[in-house]
Amino acid sequence: MQTATLMVEGMTCDGCVKAITRALEAIPGVHAVRVSLEKGSVAIDYDPKETGPSNFAPSIEAAGFTVIG
């Protein structure tokens, strides 16, 4: 298990948290998602044999948010 942390702009409410969580949990190999509105970050626990960070930003952006790092 590995963890990737991304900085995300545009998150303002619990609805944003749910949208990002749903988008990331739909990726095979993602085991846990922790969104912090205060920090503007998303931590993703994943199985590197199934997925990786290159899959996370497109899913977050498809949900309407901007990944900045």
Side-chain angles (χ1 to χ4, degrees):
M1 194 71 60
Q2 292 187 359
T3 301
T5 302
L6 301 174
M7 301 306 293
V8 179
E9 284 185 335
M11 301 185 302
T12 58
C13 64
D14 287 337
C16 298
V17 172
K18 290 177 185 174
I20 289 173
T21 301
R22 247 191 326 268
L24 291 169
E25 287 179 343
I27 300 171
V30 170
H31 293 276
V33 177
R34 294 176 306 285
V35 179
S36 172
L37 291 175
E38 288 179 351
K39 296 179 183 176
S41 66
V42 180
I44 306 125
D45 296 336
Y46 65 96
D47 182 343
K49 294 178 184 174
E50 294 184 56
T51 192
S54 63
N55 294 320
F56 305 149
S59 292
I60 292 170
E61 291 176 352
F65 304 92
T66 303
V67 176
I68 56 173

